[in-house]
Amino acid sequence: MELVEDRIDPRPEMNLRRHQFNDAEAAFDAGDYASAYQMDGGTNSEIEALAAIMCGQVAGGLAMLGAPESDRAFLVAAYGHWCLGETDQALRNLSEIGNGEYSSPARALENHVAAEMIAVAVITQPGSDKAAGFAAAAGFSVAHISLEPDNFGRTWEDILAASGGEGGPDLIICLDAFGPYRPQGLEVAPAPVVIWSSDHDFFLSTRSYDHAAADIIIANSADECAELSAHYPGRVASFLGHDNYAQYVTVPKPGTNRDLDILFTGRAFASYMRDKAQFLFRLAALDSEDARIEMLEGYLADGDYNHRLGRARYVPTFCRYWDGFQTRSVDAVRAGARVLTNDAGGLDGLLGGGWFAPAGEGWDLDAGGLKIEAPAEPVDSLFWRSPAREERFLKFSLFQSLFTKKRAKPLTRTYIPAEFRGYPPGRAAAIYARIVKMNTAGAQSPVHSNYAGLAAYYGLVSAPELTSFGEASKEIFRAAIGAYPNSLMIRFNAACVLWSFGHKNEASAHFMTVVDQGAAMAFDPKADAIISHRIRAFSELFPYGDFYSAAVGREVGGEIQNPINIMRCGAMTFLAHDAISEGRIDEAIQLLEAGGTLFDSASACWRLLALARAADEKVPADVRQAAYRAINLYPGELPQLLAIVMEAELADVRDGAAAEILKKWTLLAARVKSVDGRRFGVTPENVECAKTYSHLLEDWTLALLTPILDGA
């Protein structure tokens, strides 16, 4: 508790880059093409050209390569020509490869290139539009498979038998088809199974089996490659050019007025992505009267999104994983805006250079020039449009299959993971009821019980009128505690569920068990799923983003945190929340100070500590210390702490510091709004506070505050 913070200055603590390889050739051969390009970019080497092809810049990479001089180059050039539809040239390249290291892959690729039709199965969730582009891929016969709730648990063998196909497909692609949407027994299919992986850290426990059973995992970035390779034995490849969806985005007409310096749309302030919030807060609070900044919390309709992008000079994107291209970055470049990012690395060359600006210290709006009327060709040559995009993905997947090795696969799982998603109520009820039923029948374990209890609870949250889900969740978790008293995750999730129903004494007992005995309890981060971060009542009190980082072993701020300690800190925070609400302030302060010592990066813990210290009339310095710590960890805490931190500063006659706080709140309220126009952090209490202390502001920030106070 020796931390000293005396101003609002949030700074993201980025995870360290994980260097898997000593050189670009090793990275390339392993399938990490983003790392290979990053390491050799700008050298005009053979590896740079080959990496560009595999990243998706096919024509540009082939032009850079020229005449191949090695078997590796002939093989990759053949893949590139195949992607471009130049099969004769692809086969000529392959014919140049004789006996040697690349002989077997060359012969296999020849078979694919020469085939009249390649059979593929694409597995998605029902109703997904992700399979549409694959159905139109030239040279592929695509069977689209989606499992409805009644068919959860259906075997791959049964699906094949029902289709009447002989021998099955040559390739199986899983797109967001995890958990119950993945056919049982798929791990023994003779064809290579490929999954597109994203947000691996957030879904480690619910999707770890699917990743472990896959032959090939394809991800966007080099950093994801490193993380996935550390956890799973299959081949992991990075494919930068695939992940783009808003293909309707266009460059605005010449002469269009770029009247927004910075435009952000999406989720700016979510407690489970506090690093992103820290990054965006620094831009939203930019101390510049002339800066035209608009941050919209939420998602726009296609036409409005395209229009606003066309007005923007810079679009900020925060990268949780290094060395990749985010979809919002692709959208920005398509619209001719520059990308303002924490990860402006050497991949910019794939787009011709000049698109990415680092948002670091000393950055200003006028630095580095601006592309306003950018041609679409550099973007489209990397980020292909559908259905060519999907056809290239299938060929990329087949190319990766040339380098997979036979290995033992995990045994067929008997539990069915549950994830909380935004399903319509009726559909959610069918999905979660089926998952509950499957996890409570047959084999039993802590994992089965945990997923059954979570599925029932998610059913209630999705369809509150179906109260039987809530009763089932409580019953399942209570029974699970009796059957598996040493399971840390069952104990924690049960406490959260019971707490949400108002069973505070029962929940408190379980939270105290987590605090006192958690270090010695059973916990497997790859199997034990924590209750969803998407449920706001829990995300307001628990540091999900930090927990996920710790669970995957990510090094942040120079160290890897202990996920169990984060859960113990979280349990203390829940207990302290109840203690504050019941007037037990001294007890709350003791719990929160202990929690902050156990894990010092939980913003909710520090927020509650600031509120408790203020309620206990502690010295102002102690109040503002906790408040600043909370806000700097997650700037979304500022609206809840505005009044007490202002009063703490003024109590010590620190008028300048109080003015700076009010200024930052004003900048946020002026520049960050929901898509329907609601200002961020504006509550009646905060408006009253701002009115009381508005005399502290001067000049242009006071002019910004006036319409906020007037309700405009």
Side-chain angles (χ1 to χ4, degrees):
M1 303 297 288
E2 296 300 319
L3 298 165
V4 177
E5 297 180 43
D6 63 354
R7 64 192 179 109
I8 297 176
D9 187 26
R11 294 171 179 269
E13 290 185 3
M14 283 298 296
N15 55 297
L16 299 182
R17 274 188 168 89
R18 287 164 281 201
H19 298 287
Q20 296 188 89
F21 308 104
N22 294 324
D23 55 56
E25 287 196 24
F28 184 91
D29 289 340
D32 189 354
Y33 306 117
S35 281
Y37 186 86
Q38 180 86 329
M39 297 170 80
D40 250 27
T43 63
N44 289 318
S45 67
E46 179 181 273
I47 285 293
E48 180 188 8
L50 300 183
I53 293 169
M54 298 310 302
C55 284
Q57 189 59 268
V58 179
L62 286 171
M64 183 190 305
L65 176 64
E69 296 181 357
S70 68
D71 284 354
R72 180 202 280 131
F74 275 114
L75 186 73
V76 176
Y79 160 79
H81 287 293
W82 186 34
C83 288
L84 296 176
E86 300 165 353
T87 56
D88 290 344
Q89 182 59 52
L91 292 171
R92 282 194 291 271
N93 284 135
L94 292 170
S95 69
E96 296 291 333
I97 302 173
N99 294 329
E101 180 182 356
Y102 292 94
S103 174
S104 179
R107 303 294 79 81
L109 187 56
E110 277 178 339
N111 291 334
H112 293 318
V113 174
E116 291 186 12
M117 197 65 66
I118 298 173
V120 176
V122 175
I123 305 173
T124 71
Q125 292 191 35
S128 171
D129 59 0
K130 293 183 177 180
F134 289 94
F140 293 90
S141 173
V142 177
H144 182 201
I145 297 168
S146 293
L147 297 183
E148 294 287 352
D150 286 348
N151 282 320
F152 287 171
R154 191 179 184 189
T155 67
W156 178 246
E157 184 179 7
D158 182 41
I159 291 170
L160 282 183
S163 69
E166 295 183 5
D170 301 301
L171 182 69
I172 301 168
I173 305 289
C174 294
L175 297 175
D176 205 22
F178 298 100
Y181 298 102
R182 179 184 183 278
Q184 292 284 73
L186 192 62
E187 62 278 358
V188 298
V193 176
V194 181
I195 63 173
W196 172 261
S197 180
S198 61
D199 292 333
H200 167 255
D201 51 349
F202 277 35
F203 301 102
L204 173 67
S205 54
T206 57
R207 301 179 182 180
S208 63
Y209 177 89
D210 303 311
H211 283 81
D215 297 286
I216 300 162
I217 303 170
I218 303 176
N220 182 307
S221 68
D223 201 30
E224 286 171 290
C225 261
E227 181 174 290
L228 291 160
S229 296
H231 284 276
Y232 307 110
R235 182 172 175 84
V236 182
S238 55
F239 191 9
L240 293 171
H242 177 68
D243 206 13
N244 74 104
Y245 300 105
Q247 297 175 15
Y248 57 83
V249 172
T250 57
V251 177
K253 295 178 181 179
T256 297
N257 181 25
R258 298 268 179 171
D259 60 345
L260 291 174
D261 291 309
I262 295 175
L263 170 71
F264 174 85
T265 65
R267 295 297 303 275
F269 293 99
S271 62
Y272 48 84
M273 294 186 289
R274 64 180 185 84
D275 44 7
K276 178 181 179 181
Q278 291 168 321
F279 171 78
L280 291 172
F281 176 89
R282 296 181 70 82
L283 297 175
L286 199 64
D287 191 358
S288 170
E289 180 178 2
D290 298 327
R292 299 160 301 176
I293 299 171
E294 183 176 75
M295 294 193 177
L296 296 176
E297 278 272 6
Y299 299 93
L300 300 170
D302 293 353
D304 194 10
Y305 181 52
N306 190 24
H307 172 69
R308 287 178 186 269
L309 283 176
R311 295 168 50 200
R313 298 178 65 225
Y314 290 92
V315 173
T317 62
F318 181 81
C319 301
R320 193 165 78 251
Y321 287 106
W322 294 109
D323 301 330
F325 284 125
Q326 289 201 335
T327 55
R328 299 259 163 179
S329 299
V330 181
D331 299 345
V333 175
R334 280 197 195 281
R338 296 186 78 202
V339 179
L340 191 60
T341 179
N342 61 312
D343 182 22
L347 299 173
D348 198 11
L350 289 166
L351 290 168
W355 287 106
F356 291 80
E361 295 299 317
W363 173 83
D364 75 71
L365 281 170
D366 298 319
L370 180 67
K371 297 187 175 184
I372 292 192
E373 296 170 8
E377 192 278 328
V379 185
D380 287 344
S381 62
L382 176 61
F383 298 103
W384 291 14
R385 297 177 186 269
S386 299
R389 166 183 176 266
E390 287 77 11
E391 181 182 324
R392 184 182 59 172
F393 184 85
L394 295 176
K395 292 174 179 178
F396 182 92
S397 299
L398 287 169
F399 186 86
Q400 301 311 310
S401 73
L402 306 178
F403 305 100
T404 58
K405 297 179 176 63
K406 288 186 178 181
R407 62 181 177 87
K409 298 285 189 74
L411 297 175
T412 298
R413 68 172 169 219
T414 58
Y415 63 86
I416 304 297
E419 294 179 3
F420 182 58
R421 292 173 173 250
Y423 301 118
R427 182 162 185 78
I431 290 168
Y432 293 125
R434 177 66 172 161
I435 294 175
V436 171
K437 182 176 181 179
M438 293 180 72
N439 280 312
T440 52
Q444 288 299 297
S445 71
V447 178
H448 289 81
S449 295
N450 187 44
Y451 280 130
L454 290 177
Y457 191 75
Y458 298 158
L460 176 71
V461 176
S462 303
E465 69 279 6
L466 299 179
T467 57
S468 59
F469 271 125
E471 295 306 312
S473 181
K474 289 187 286 185
E475 181 181 339
I476 290 166
F477 275 120
R478 283 168 172 155
I481 286 173
Y484 312 108
N486 197 44
S487 169
L488 176 63
M489 193 57 75
I490 281 179
R491 187 77 63 162
F492 184 86
N493 287 342
C496 289
V497 167
L498 293 166
W499 177 86
S500 73
F501 281 104
H503 303 307
K504 298 299 173 71
N505 290 338
E506 189 178 2
S508 294
H510 296 314
F511 279 132
M512 283 306 303
T513 300
V514 171
V515 172
D516 294 337
Q517 303 174 30
M521 296 177 79
F523 170 63
D524 179 358
K526 287 188 177 180
D528 295 336
I530 195 166
I531 200 163
S532 178
H533 61 273
R534 291 169 170 156
I535 300 174
R536 188 166 183 175
F538 304 137
S539 65
E540 287 183 343
L541 293 175
F542 188 80
Y544 280 98
D546 297 279
F547 173 79
Y548 294 143
S549 290
V552 297
R554 182 181 299 145
E555 188 172 340
V556 180
E559 59 182 318
I560 299 174
Q561 296 291 344
N562 183 339
I564 294 177
N565 283 346
I566 295 175
M567 292 179 68
R568 294 170 66 203
C569 172
M572 292 179 185
T573 305
F574 277 94
L575 290 166
H577 176 276
D578 290 349
I580 291 172
S581 67
E582 296 168 7
R584 295 179 281 116
I585 304 301
D586 288 344
E587 180 184 340
I589 290 173
Q590 291 177 2
L591 283 164
L592 294 165
E593 289 181 346
T597 300
L598 191 63
F599 176 65
D600 68 5
S601 295
S603 68
C605 177
W606 291 98
R607 182 222 314 147
L608 293 182
L609 182 57
L611 293 170
R613 285 175 173 175
D616 203 41
E617 299 182 350
K618 297 293 186 183
V619 296
D622 289 344
V623 174
R624 66 174 181 260
Q625 161 64 65
Y628 282 133
R629 181 64 176 165
I631 296 165
N632 288 335
L633 285 168
Y634 171 50
E637 304 286 10
L638 175 58
Q640 299 186 64
L641 296 173
L642 176 65
I644 68 162
V645 72
M646 289 279 295
E647 290 162 4
E649 291 291 21
L650 292 170
D652 279 348
V653 198
R654 287 166 49 103
D655 290 21
E660 187 65 19
I661 296 165
L662 184 56
K663 180 177 183 177
K664 284 184 165 58
W665 177 84
T666 300
L667 290 171
L668 242 66
R671 293 168 171 172
V672 183
K673 300 178 183 179
S674 65
V675 292
D676 59 3
R678 289 175 290 110
R679 296 182 183 274
F680 179 78
V682 175
T683 63
E685 296 79 11
N686 287 343
V687 169
E688 189 61 35
C689 175
K691 281 182 180 177
T692 302
Y693 300 117
S694 60
H695 63 277
L696 295 172
L697 296 183
E698 299 177 355
D699 303 329
W700 66 279
T701 49
L702 182 58
L704 280 181
L705 179 60
T706 301
I708 298 171
L709 298 182
D710 293 341

